[in-house]
Amino acid sequence: MSTKIRTTLLILAFLLLSAALYGKGNNNVAIGSNLMGYLNFATFNGDLGIGISRHWSIHLNGKYNPFNWHTANQYLQNKQLSFACGARYWNWYQFSGWYWGGKVRYCIYNSGGIISPRTEEGDALGGSLEFGYQLLLSRHINMEFGAGIWGGWKKYRHYDAPRCGKFIGQGEKFFIAPDNISISVIYNF
Amino acid sequence: MTRECIMVIAALIVISCSTTKKIEAIRSSGVKPEIAVSDGFDKETETRIMTSEYSDTLTVTGLDGERLNLMKTVTDSAGNTYAHESLDGVVVTARFKNIAERGGKIDLSFNITIPKSLQDPSWQLRFTPRMKILEDTIDLECIYVTGNEYHLSQKRGYDLYSRFLSSIITDSTLLRYSHLIEIFSKRNLSETSEISLQEILNHYRKSGKISLNNHRQSKSEKMYKKMVRNPYTTDIIRLDTVLATSSDIVYCYTQTIRAKANLKKVDVAIRGGVYKDGERLYMIPDSKPITFYISSVSSFAEDITRYVKQVVERRVQANTQAYIDFEQGRSVINPLLYENEHELWRISENIASFLNNDTYDIDSLIITASCSPEGNYLLNKQLAYERAISIRDYFKEYARRYADSLNRTNNSTITIDLERGRDNGEKIPRIVPDFSFKIKSIAENWEKLKDMVANDSLVKEKERILAIIDDDIPYDRKEYLLRQCDDYEYIRSVLYPYLRSVRFDFHLHRKGMVKDTIHTTTVDKVYTSGVLALKEREYKKALDILKPYKDINTAIAYLSLDYNASAKAILEGLEESAKRDYMLALVHARTGDEQRAVQFYLNSIGKDPAMRFRGNLDPEISALSKKYNINGYIN
């Protein structure tokens, strides 16, 4: 089976599971979006969380940034496409209060021109740990404040300019980077 | 900085100096509250008499028998007497007062004057009247006079404390995040949820606030002691007033006390203290006492002894019933049957008590035995007779043995001595007289059966049975007819046992009495107790006891309770005497008949000149005296 079909099937399975679990009593299903992400050069992101018990929930996360940005003398981009899935442990109850979480993330990225013209393009696979707090605002809406850090293995290529740059070098290495500074709005069904 | 400090310290010293100075001034000048007799309560009687609508001139018969006109007068300071005009507004400081006891109660009233120099806004004055009654000294309820600053500082303490108390949160909804609880419950709480409402409430508590609250609550006792340094008094006090003016304060203090026997005077003095911040600064020395002289009508009571006639009979009778069972057709006493042992013992005890008796001797004992109607009449007759004999022999034997044992302990032989005199306290040897046993027997006790059936509610065919019993037919026939009735089983099992009874009649006579009756007179103790109650000032009790006697003591009881008409009725029937005339004067004065009152008063003085001094003690008579200047006339 092709990767595309496999991925699609996985996502479908995930959605079916979420629907089933939603029907099961008191488990919440929530979707959210990180506002800080949009500050990060307009990275669209979304998070689907499904509560599976009082203290646990599983999450599916996606980010997408196809944009180039150019001002008068600068050209920059921070493109990425990433998927992550993980679980969270809630101290008190799912989708309220403090949580600890772990994810596995796969990210395809191309970023450059922000600090220097040198552009890095590659894909990374790693795991992240995160920690945060969700505040109940109303029956359906939460506000999340969190932070995460991830590390893993990346395969990269360097270019000297964000656009039409010359190939400088490539490699594979281990990395650690902040994953998420999140101020999100979550909607619980 | 230092200059300010020095000025503050100097100011404090000056302030405390001024307080000590003031105390020193008070101490050296010896200022203290004054106590004076007030025109309090008896003013009522006096005013009534002084301002009555009666004519200003009375016509009475004087001491020498001449006709006399008395006018309402007033005496001025020079001793001159003028026709009436009432005076007002004079404050007299008198050291004693005559008051009368009324209805067992005495109303004391006196004025307490607190001079201006004792008062200070930062002080509280506390006064206690001390009453000396017979040997007891009793403190009456206090009077507090509080300065304004003193009161404010007290109040401040309470305000501080109440503010502290209000900081303790009692509303439990303020100690939780209610909004969050609401949202969470809406989202997650249902019948099937794993989480319970209690868990939610516990989780969303404001624990910081809660612990602070608990801390405050535990401290509240300590905080009360710290903040309220001078708490309001919890004793029962008569008055607690805050000074509004700066002048002498006069308070009219009244107290009602119960009259006691021999209580002729009551001394009252004031003791007090100056307090600041709850601590006593200075103890004011006791004021000069005032004396109340108490007059009571009960002092007229006379110790009369009354006697009551009693008739004592020589012959006395006592009787008792015993249910002694016999076996069917037998006449031998079997102590083991049913209750025989107990019944025999009981009768034996009765006999013994009459044999060994200080007051009585036995003349004779009649034993009546009866049988129930069962069986042939003639057989029953014989059986009853034999049973009576059997019982007689049993108790005769018992009596003989008992008498023997008594005689042995007393070392004397049996003799009969009917001329014996009364025991006057010497130890006389017990003499057990011989007495006769007589027997009677009733064959079939139909009379008793008739009574029992008539009074028994469980017998259904009452009329039929009673008709059978009344019928003039042979007894055996009656019994046959009775056996046909439905109630027979009940009668036989329940009522017949009561017919087999033995009755013991004791005929006794009083030891040492020769005549058949003796008439004695004994002191009427009831009357004596009535007079005693009168003297003890228990008037209701005295009246209840003395009412039927209708003599002077009864009249005194009526007078003390203000039943003037009843008193008058009795007094008018008594023979004339100074006491009786005086009491009639009292009665008339109370009912408003001043003419007769003064007349009787003069009569009583005529018979006993000392009555005029008594007249000064009773407010009714003394008011009359004053109004018509009777004392002046006598002099």
Short mmCIF file of all heavy atoms in Angstrom, two decimals, chain B residues 573-618:
data_model
loop_
_atom_site.label_atom_id
_atom_site.label_comp_id
_atom_site.label_asym_id
_atom_site.label_seq_id
_atom_site.Cartn_x
_atom_site.Cartn_y
_atom_site.Cartn_z
N GLY B 573 -66.76 43.65 116.92
CA GLY B 573 -67.39 42.72 117.85
C GLY B 573 -66.58 42.50 119.11
O GLY B 573 -67.05 41.87 120.05
N LEU B 574 -65.34 42.98 119.12
CA LEU B 574 -64.50 42.73 120.30
C LEU B 574 -64.78 43.77 121.36
O LEU B 574 -65.32 44.84 121.09
CB LEU B 574 -63.02 42.78 119.92
CG LEU B 574 -62.51 41.70 118.97
CD1 LEU B 574 -61.07 41.96 118.64
CD2 LEU B 574 -62.67 40.32 119.60
N GLU B 575 -64.30 43.48 122.54
CA GLU B 575 -64.50 44.46 123.62
C GLU B 575 -63.53 45.62 123.41
O GLU B 575 -62.48 45.48 122.79
CB GLU B 575 -64.24 43.79 124.97
CG GLU B 575 -62.85 43.21 125.07
CD GLU B 575 -62.57 42.69 126.46
OE1 GLU B 575 -63.24 41.73 126.86
OE2 GLU B 575 -61.71 43.29 127.13
N GLU B 576 -63.92 46.76 123.94
CA GLU B 576 -63.11 47.95 123.72
C GLU B 576 -61.79 47.86 124.45
O GLU B 576 -61.72 47.46 125.59
CB GLU B 576 -63.86 49.18 124.21
CG GLU B 576 -65.07 49.50 123.35
CD GLU B 576 -65.59 50.91 123.61
OE1 GLU B 576 -64.87 51.69 124.25
OE2 GLU B 576 -66.70 51.18 123.18
N SER B 577 -60.74 48.25 123.73
CA SER B 577 -59.43 48.35 124.37
C SER B 577 -58.60 49.28 123.51
O SER B 577 -58.97 49.63 122.39
CB SER B 577 -58.74 46.99 124.45
OG SER B 577 -58.30 46.61 123.17
N ALA B 578 -57.47 49.72 124.06
CA ALA B 578 -56.65 50.68 123.31
C ALA B 578 -56.21 50.08 121.98
O ALA B 578 -56.28 50.70 120.92
CB ALA B 578 -55.44 51.07 124.15
N LYS B 579 -55.76 48.83 122.06
CA LYS B 579 -55.29 48.15 120.85
C LYS B 579 -56.40 48.08 119.80
O LYS B 579 -56.22 48.39 118.63
CB LYS B 579 -54.89 46.71 121.22
CG LYS B 579 -53.47 46.38 120.89
CD LYS B 579 -53.24 44.90 121.06
CE LYS B 579 -51.99 44.66 121.84
NZ LYS B 579 -51.71 43.24 121.97
N ARG B 580 -57.56 47.65 120.27
CA ARG B 580 -58.66 47.45 119.33
C ARG B 580 -59.09 48.77 118.72
O ARG B 580 -59.35 48.85 117.53
CB ARG B 580 -59.81 46.78 120.11
CG ARG B 580 -61.10 46.66 119.35
CD ARG B 580 -62.09 47.55 120.00
NE ARG B 580 -63.44 47.35 119.47
CZ ARG B 580 -64.40 48.24 119.61
NH1 ARG B 580 -64.16 49.37 120.26
NH2 ARG B 580 -65.59 48.03 119.14
N ASP B 581 -59.11 49.83 119.51
CA ASP B 581 -59.49 51.14 118.98
C ASP B 581 -58.46 51.62 117.98
O ASP B 581 -58.79 52.20 116.94
CB ASP B 581 -59.61 52.16 120.12
CG ASP B 581 -60.91 52.00 120.88
OD1 ASP B 581 -61.77 51.22 120.40
OD2 ASP B 581 -61.07 52.65 121.92
N TYR B 582 -57.20 51.39 118.30
CA TYR B 582 -56.16 51.82 117.38
C TYR B 582 -56.29 51.09 116.04
O TYR B 582 -56.17 51.70 114.96
CB TYR B 582 -54.79 51.54 118.00
CG TYR B 582 -53.67 52.06 117.14
CD1 TYR B 582 -53.29 53.39 117.20
CD2 TYR B 582 -53.03 51.22 116.24
CE1 TYR B 582 -52.29 53.88 116.40
CE2 TYR B 582 -52.02 51.70 115.43
CZ TYR B 582 -51.66 53.04 115.51
OH TYR B 582 -50.67 53.52 114.70
N MET B 583 -56.56 49.81 116.11
CA MET B 583 -56.69 49.05 114.86
C MET B 583 -57.91 49.49 114.08
O MET B 583 -57.89 49.57 112.85
CB MET B 583 -56.76 47.55 115.17
CG MET B 583 -55.40 47.02 115.60
SD MET B 583 -55.19 45.26 115.30
CE MET B 583 -55.94 44.64 116.74
N LEU B 584 -58.98 49.85 114.78
CA LEU B 584 -60.14 50.37 114.07
C LEU B 584 -59.80 51.69 113.40
O LEU B 584 -60.27 51.99 112.30
CB LEU B 584 -61.32 50.54 115.03
CG LEU B 584 -62.20 49.30 115.16
CD1 LEU B 584 -63.18 49.44 116.30
CD2 LEU B 584 -62.94 49.03 113.86
N ALA B 585 -58.99 52.52 114.10
CA ALA B 585 -58.56 53.77 113.48
C ALA B 585 -57.82 53.49 112.19
O ALA B 585 -58.04 54.14 111.15
CB ALA B 585 -57.67 54.54 114.46
N LEU B 586 -56.95 52.49 112.20
CA LEU B 586 -56.20 52.11 111.00
C LEU B 586 -57.16 51.72 109.88
O LEU B 586 -57.02 52.14 108.73
CB LEU B 586 -55.31 50.90 111.32
CG LEU B 586 -53.81 51.14 111.50
CD1 LEU B 586 -53.13 49.82 111.73
CD2 LEU B 586 -53.22 51.84 110.31
N VAL B 587 -58.14 50.90 110.25
CA VAL B 587 -59.08 50.41 109.24
C VAL B 587 -59.80 51.59 108.58
O VAL B 587 -59.89 51.69 107.36
CB VAL B 587 -60.10 49.45 109.88
CG1 VAL B 587 -61.27 49.20 108.94
CG2 VAL B 587 -59.44 48.14 110.22
N HIS B 588 -60.26 52.49 109.42
CA HIS B 588 -61.01 53.63 108.87
C HIS B 588 -60.11 54.56 108.07
O HIS B 588 -60.53 55.13 107.07
CB HIS B 588 -61.71 54.40 110.01
CG HIS B 588 -62.90 53.66 110.55
ND1 HIS B 588 -63.99 53.36 109.75
CD2 HIS B 588 -63.17 53.14 111.77
CE1 HIS B 588 -64.88 52.69 110.48
NE2 HIS B 588 -64.41 52.55 111.72
N ALA B 589 -58.88 54.73 108.54
CA ALA B 589 -57.96 55.58 107.77
C ALA B 589 -57.73 54.99 106.40
O ALA B 589 -57.65 55.70 105.41
CB ALA B 589 -56.65 55.71 108.53
N ARG B 590 -57.62 53.67 106.35
CA ARG B 590 -57.36 53.05 105.05
C ARG B 590 -58.55 53.16 104.12
O ARG B 590 -58.39 53.28 102.91
CB ARG B 590 -57.05 51.57 105.23
CG ARG B 590 -55.64 51.33 105.71
CD ARG B 590 -55.36 49.86 105.71
NE ARG B 590 -54.17 49.54 106.45
CZ ARG B 590 -53.77 48.29 106.65
NH1 ARG B 590 -54.49 47.29 106.20
NH2 ARG B 590 -52.67 48.06 107.31
N THR B 591 -59.75 53.08 104.70
CA THR B 591 -60.92 53.13 103.81
C THR B 591 -61.37 54.55 103.54
O THR B 591 -62.32 54.77 102.82
CB THR B 591 -62.10 52.34 104.41
OG1 THR B 591 -62.28 52.76 105.77
CG2 THR B 591 -61.82 50.86 104.38
N GLY B 592 -60.67 55.54 104.14
CA GLY B 592 -60.96 56.92 103.79
C GLY B 592 -61.92 57.63 104.72
O GLY B 592 -62.24 58.79 104.53
N ASP B 593 -62.38 56.91 105.75
CA ASP B 593 -63.32 57.54 106.67
C ASP B 593 -62.53 58.27 107.74
O ASP B 593 -62.28 57.75 108.83
CB ASP B 593 -64.21 56.44 107.28
CG ASP B 593 -65.38 57.03 108.05
OD1 ASP B 593 -65.39 58.26 108.30
OD2 ASP B 593 -66.29 56.25 108.39
N GLU B 594 -62.11 59.51 107.45
CA GLU B 594 -61.18 60.18 108.34
C GLU B 594 -61.82 60.55 109.67
O GLU B 594 -61.16 60.55 110.71
CB GLU B 594 -60.63 61.43 107.65
CG GLU B 594 -59.74 61.04 106.48
CD GLU B 594 -59.23 62.24 105.72
OE1 GLU B 594 -59.42 63.35 106.22
OE2 GLU B 594 -58.68 62.05 104.63
N GLN B 595 -63.10 60.86 109.63
CA GLN B 595 -63.82 61.24 110.86
C GLN B 595 -63.68 60.13 111.89
O GLN B 595 -63.19 60.32 113.01
CB GLN B 595 -65.30 61.45 110.51
CG GLN B 595 -66.23 61.49 111.68
CD GLN B 595 -66.58 62.91 112.05
OE1 GLN B 595 -66.37 63.82 111.25
NE2 GLN B 595 -67.10 63.09 113.22
N ARG B 596 -64.09 58.91 111.49
CA ARG B 596 -64.06 57.80 112.45
C ARG B 596 -62.62 57.46 112.80
O ARG B 596 -62.33 57.10 113.95
CB ARG B 596 -64.75 56.57 111.86
CG ARG B 596 -66.24 56.69 111.79
CD ARG B 596 -66.92 55.34 111.93
NE ARG B 596 -68.36 55.49 111.88
CZ ARG B 596 -69.05 55.59 110.77
NH1 ARG B 596 -68.44 55.52 109.60
NH2 ARG B 596 -70.36 55.78 110.81
N ALA B 597 -61.73 57.57 111.80
CA ALA B 597 -60.34 57.22 112.07
C ALA B 597 -59.79 58.06 113.21
O ALA B 597 -59.22 57.55 114.17
CB ALA B 597 -59.51 57.40 110.81
N VAL B 598 -59.97 59.36 113.07
CA VAL B 598 -59.42 60.24 114.11
C VAL B 598 -60.12 59.99 115.44
O VAL B 598 -59.50 59.99 116.51
CB VAL B 598 -59.56 61.71 113.68
CG1 VAL B 598 -59.10 62.63 114.79
CG2 VAL B 598 -58.73 61.96 112.43
N GLN B 599 -61.42 59.74 115.39
CA GLN B 599 -62.17 59.49 116.62
C GLN B 599 -61.59 58.29 117.36
O GLN B 599 -61.30 58.35 118.56
CB GLN B 599 -63.64 59.23 116.26
CG GLN B 599 -64.52 58.93 117.47
CD GLN B 599 -64.72 60.16 118.32
OE1 GLN B 599 -65.36 61.12 117.92
NE2 GLN B 599 -64.16 60.14 119.51
N PHE B 600 -61.42 57.18 116.63
CA PHE B 600 -60.91 55.97 117.28
C PHE B 600 -59.48 56.16 117.75
O PHE B 600 -59.07 55.64 118.80
CB PHE B 600 -61.00 54.77 116.33
CG PHE B 600 -62.36 54.13 116.33
CD1 PHE B 600 -63.16 54.21 115.21
CD2 PHE B 600 -62.82 53.45 117.43
CE1 PHE B 600 -64.42 53.63 115.19
CE2 PHE B 600 -64.08 52.86 117.43
CZ PHE B 600 -64.89 52.96 116.31
N TYR B 601 -58.72 56.91 116.99
CA TYR B 601 -57.34 57.16 117.37
C TYR B 601 -57.30 57.88 118.72
O TYR B 601 -56.57 57.52 119.63
CB TYR B 601 -56.65 57.97 116.28
CG TYR B 601 -55.19 58.26 116.55
CD1 TYR B 601 -54.32 57.28 117.00
CD2 TYR B 601 -54.68 59.53 116.33
CE1 TYR B 601 -52.99 57.56 117.23
CE2 TYR B 601 -53.36 59.82 116.56
CZ TYR B 601 -52.52 58.83 117.01
OH TYR B 601 -51.19 59.12 117.23
N LEU B 602 -58.13 58.92 118.83
CA LEU B 602 -58.17 59.66 120.08
C LEU B 602 -58.65 58.78 121.22
O LEU B 602 -58.11 58.83 122.33
CB LEU B 602 -59.08 60.88 119.93
CG LEU B 602 -58.49 62.03 119.10
CD1 LEU B 602 -59.51 63.13 118.94
CD2 LEU B 602 -57.23 62.58 119.75
N ASN B 603 -59.65 57.92 120.91
CA ASN B 603 -60.13 57.01 121.95
C ASN B 603 -59.01 56.12 122.45
O ASN B 603 -58.85 55.90 123.65
CB ASN B 603 -61.25 56.11 121.41
CG ASN B 603 -62.52 56.90 121.15
OD1 ASN B 603 -62.63 58.06 121.55
ND2 ASN B 603 -63.47 56.29 120.47
N SER B 604 -58.23 55.61 121.50
CA SER B 604 -57.18 54.68 121.93
C SER B 604 -56.11 55.40 122.72
O SER B 604 -55.56 54.87 123.69
CB SER B 604 -56.58 53.97 120.72
OG SER B 604 -55.57 54.75 120.14
N ILE B 605 -55.82 56.65 122.34
CA ILE B 605 -54.84 57.40 123.14
C ILE B 605 -55.39 57.65 124.52
O ILE B 605 -54.66 57.60 125.52
CB ILE B 605 -54.50 58.74 122.44
CG1 ILE B 605 -53.78 58.48 121.13
CG2 ILE B 605 -53.64 59.60 123.35
CD1 ILE B 605 -53.48 59.71 120.35
N GLY B 606 -56.70 57.89 124.58
CA GLY B 606 -57.32 58.08 125.88
C GLY B 606 -57.13 56.86 126.76
O GLY B 606 -56.87 56.96 127.96
N LYS B 607 -57.24 55.66 126.18
CA LYS B 607 -57.10 54.45 127.01
C LYS B 607 -55.64 54.14 127.29
O LYS B 607 -55.30 53.58 128.32
CB LYS B 607 -57.74 53.27 126.30
CG LYS B 607 -59.24 53.44 126.07
CD LYS B 607 -59.89 52.12 125.71
CE LYS B 607 -61.39 52.27 125.55
NZ LYS B 607 -61.76 52.91 124.28
N ASP B 608 -54.76 54.47 126.34
CA ASP B 608 -53.34 54.17 126.52
C ASP B 608 -52.54 55.27 125.85
O ASP B 608 -52.44 55.30 124.62
CB ASP B 608 -53.03 52.80 125.89
CG ASP B 608 -51.57 52.44 126.04
OD1 ASP B 608 -50.81 53.19 126.72
OD2 ASP B 608 -51.17 51.40 125.49
N PRO B 609 -51.97 56.19 126.65
CA PRO B 609 -51.29 57.35 126.07
C PRO B 609 -50.12 56.95 125.16
O PRO B 609 -49.74 57.71 124.28
CB PRO B 609 -50.80 58.15 127.28
CG PRO B 609 -51.62 57.66 128.40
CD PRO B 609 -52.01 56.27 128.12
N ALA B 610 -49.58 55.74 125.36
CA ALA B 610 -48.43 55.34 124.54
C ALA B 610 -48.82 55.15 123.09
O ALA B 610 -47.94 55.12 122.22
CB ALA B 610 -47.84 54.05 125.09
N MET B 611 -50.09 55.07 122.81
CA MET B 611 -50.53 54.85 121.44
C MET B 611 -50.19 56.00 120.51
O MET B 611 -50.13 55.83 119.30
CB MET B 611 -52.05 54.59 121.40
CG MET B 611 -52.42 53.16 121.74
SD MET B 611 -51.61 51.99 120.63
CE MET B 611 -52.10 50.44 121.32
N ARG B 612 -49.94 57.17 121.08
CA ARG B 612 -49.61 58.27 120.17
C ARG B 612 -48.24 58.06 119.55
O ARG B 612 -47.98 58.52 118.44
CB ARG B 612 -49.69 59.61 120.88
CG ARG B 612 -48.69 59.78 122.00
CD ARG B 612 -48.97 61.06 122.69
NE ARG B 612 -48.18 62.12 122.09
CZ ARG B 612 -47.47 62.98 122.80
NH1 ARG B 612 -47.46 62.89 124.11
NH2 ARG B 612 -46.81 63.93 122.22
N PHE B 613 -47.35 57.40 120.30
CA PHE B 613 -46.04 57.11 119.73
C PHE B 613 -46.15 56.04 118.65
O PHE B 613 -45.46 56.09 117.64
CB PHE B 613 -45.06 56.69 120.82
CG PHE B 613 -44.87 57.77 121.83
CD1 PHE B 613 -45.36 57.61 123.13
CD2 PHE B 613 -44.25 58.96 121.48
CE1 PHE B 613 -45.20 58.60 124.05
CE2 PHE B 613 -44.09 59.97 122.42
CZ PHE B 613 -44.56 59.80 123.70
N ARG B 614 -47.05 55.12 118.90
CA ARG B 614 -47.32 54.11 117.87
C ARG B 614 -47.88 54.78 116.63
O ARG B 614 -47.60 54.39 115.49
CB ARG B 614 -48.30 53.07 118.43
CG ARG B 614 -48.77 52.07 117.43
CD ARG B 614 -47.75 51.05 117.11
NE ARG B 614 -47.92 50.58 115.74
CZ ARG B 614 -47.63 49.38 115.33
NH1 ARG B 614 -47.13 48.50 116.17
NH2 ARG B 614 -47.82 49.06 114.08
N GLY B 615 -48.67 55.83 116.85
CA GLY B 615 -49.29 56.52 115.72
C GLY B 615 -48.27 57.12 114.76
O GLY B 615 -48.54 57.23 113.56
N ASN B 616 -47.10 57.49 115.29
CA ASN B 616 -46.07 58.04 114.40
C ASN B 616 -45.47 56.99 113.49
O ASN B 616 -44.87 57.33 112.47
CB ASN B 616 -44.94 58.66 115.24
CG ASN B 616 -45.41 59.95 115.91
OD1 ASN B 616 -46.29 60.61 115.40
ND2 ASN B 616 -44.83 60.25 117.05
N LEU B 617 -45.61 55.73 113.87
CA LEU B 617 -44.97 54.68 113.08
C LEU B 617 -45.81 54.25 111.87
O LEU B 617 -45.28 53.92 110.84
CB LEU B 617 -44.71 53.45 113.96
CG LEU B 617 -43.78 53.65 115.14
CD1 LEU B 617 -43.59 52.35 115.87
CD2 LEU B 617 -42.44 54.19 114.69
N ASP B 618 -47.13 54.27 112.02
CA ASP B 618 -47.95 53.84 110.88
C ASP B 618 -48.23 55.02 109.97
O ASP B 618 -48.72 56.05 110.42
CB ASP B 618 -49.28 53.26 111.39
CG ASP B 618 -49.06 51.92 112.06
OD1 ASP B 618 -48.35 51.09 111.46
OD2 ASP B 618 -49.60 51.72 113.17
#
